[in-house]
Amino acid sequence: QVQLVESGGGLVQAGGSLRLSCAASGSIWSVNVMGWYRQAPGKQRELVAEVTSGGSTNYADSVKGRFTISRDNGKNTMYLQMNSLTPEDTGVYYCKLRMFVVGSQYNYWGQGTQVTVSS
């Protein structure tokens, strides 16, 4: 069984920074993608950034240049450094792990961590 635990959310003023962490435990396969998603009130969950086990990254246009995703494969932990935060970044941030084996994909979600940016 795979478990994802997020941490690092909180309340910050506009222009500030936060660093989120997502620790994965259990049977983690070597070929995987970890990502951060967020959901604002009344809106659909959206991709913020993702990183493959090989280190390739992908960012939503709205966070490019402000957010940096990284991971430590040895610790099965992913990070999201968020700088120059704006109120539009407010939402619940979820960690997602996608694991791949021939012919199948398995998805796991964390419980989410709240990020609130005040103006």
Side-chain angles (χ1 to χ4, degrees):
Q1 186 72 356
V2 174
Q3 186 175 20
L4 303 174
V5 178
E6 300 105 331
S7 61
L11 173 65
V12 65
Q13 288 187 333
S17 299
L18 283 174
R19 188 191 194 211
L20 305 183
S21 299
C22 172
S25 61
S27 299
I28 310 298
W29 298 337
S30 59
V31 180
N32 62 72
V33 180
M34 297 187 77
W36 288 100
Y37 292 71
R38 67 186 178 192
Q39 188 165 18
K43 294 187 177 181
Q44 289 189 332
R45 192 174 298 187
E46 63 177 359
L47 173 68
V48 175
E50 60 185 358
V51 56
T52 70
S53 46
S56 297
T57 59
N58 178 43
Y59 294 90
D61 288 342
S62 60
V63 307
K64 284 180 181 177
R66 300 187 299 122
F67 291 10
T68 302
I69 192 170
S70 62
R71 62 187 290 170
D72 183 334
N73 289 335
K75 295 181 179 179
N76 286 326
T77 301
M78 173 180 64
Y79 307 95
L80 185 68
Q81 178 66 43
M82 304 186 293
N83 299 327
S84 302
L85 285 160
T86 73
E88 287 70 35
D89 296 314
T90 294
V92 179
Y93 282 68
Y94 297 92
C95 170
K96 181 180 181 181
L97 170 65
R98 292 187 286 145
M99 298 195 295
F100 305 91
V101 69
V102 177
S104 298
Q105 175 178 307
Y106 298 85
N107 299 318
Y108 300 90
W109 290 92
Q111 81 287 353
T113 185
Q114 176 70 44
V115 171
T116 303
V117 184
S118 63
S119 58

